[in-house]
Amino acid sequence: MTTIESPITTTDGLALSPVAAQKVKDLIANEDVETLALRISVAPGGCSGLRYQLQLDDRELDGDVVADWHGVTVVTDRMSAPYLAGATIDFVDTIEQQGFTIDNPNAQGSCACGDSFH
């Protein structure tokens, strides 16, 4: 069993919690491509104006910001990086909720479903 270090607080990029990192590793293990990274971006849409997008990706785009969190490569495009600076991505699995959550200090507000922000 591998020990996963405690989460690191960051102010100049985004952080991935150990629980979220393990979930991403589990998802990657189910894929045929071993070089997948977690790509996080922000796109127009949703009730509040901007929407988070998370996907497994093996592309490297010009200007990507790349970091390693608990053995998971996390990639953000250069346009989304300022919106995600200081954000923490976690994974919750409770009776009430299951999925990735994003705690973003840059979000001035969000919609009731939590899927978009401004």
Side-chain angles (χ1 to χ4, degrees), residues 39-118:
R39 179 173 289 278
I40 303 163
S41 60
V42 174
C47 318
S48 295
L50 295 172
R51 183 181 188 129
Y52 299 111
Q53 296 179 326
L54 285 81
Q55 64 184 355
L56 297 178
D57 194 358
D58 63 349
R59 297 174 297 153
E60 291 184 24
L61 304 176
D62 187 37
D64 277 349
V65 178
V66 181
D68 185 87
W69 289 99
H70 312 290
V72 172
T73 302
V74 179
V75 180
T76 306
D77 65 88
R78 66 178 169 207
M79 300 300 282
S80 298
Y83 293 104
L84 296 167
T88 301
I89 299 168
D90 199 4
F91 185 83
V92 295
D93 189 1
T94 66
I95 291 174
E96 298 171 337
Q97 180 181 8
Q98 181 182 37
F100 289 96
T101 62
I102 301 175
D103 179 19
N104 188 346
N106 300 308
Q108 295 175 355
S110 63
C111 62
C113 67
D115 193 41
S116 66
F117 70 99
H118 67 274

Side-chain angles (χ1 to χ4, degrees), residues 3-57:
T3 303
I4 300 176
E5 61 271 11
S6 62
I8 299 171
T9 303
T10 181
T11 56
D12 58 350
L14 60 90
L16 191 65
S17 77
V19 175
Q22 187 58 53
K23 183 61 178 180
V24 172
K25 288 178 185 178
D26 293 345
L27 292 170
I28 290 173
N30 291 328
E31 298 294 324
D32 293 334
V33 181
E34 293 180 13
T35 58
L36 291 172
L38 176 63
R39 179 173 289 278
I40 303 163
S41 60
V42 174
C47 318
S48 295
L50 295 172
R51 183 181 188 129
Y52 299 111
Q53 296 179 326
L54 285 81
Q55 64 184 355
L56 297 178
D57 194 358

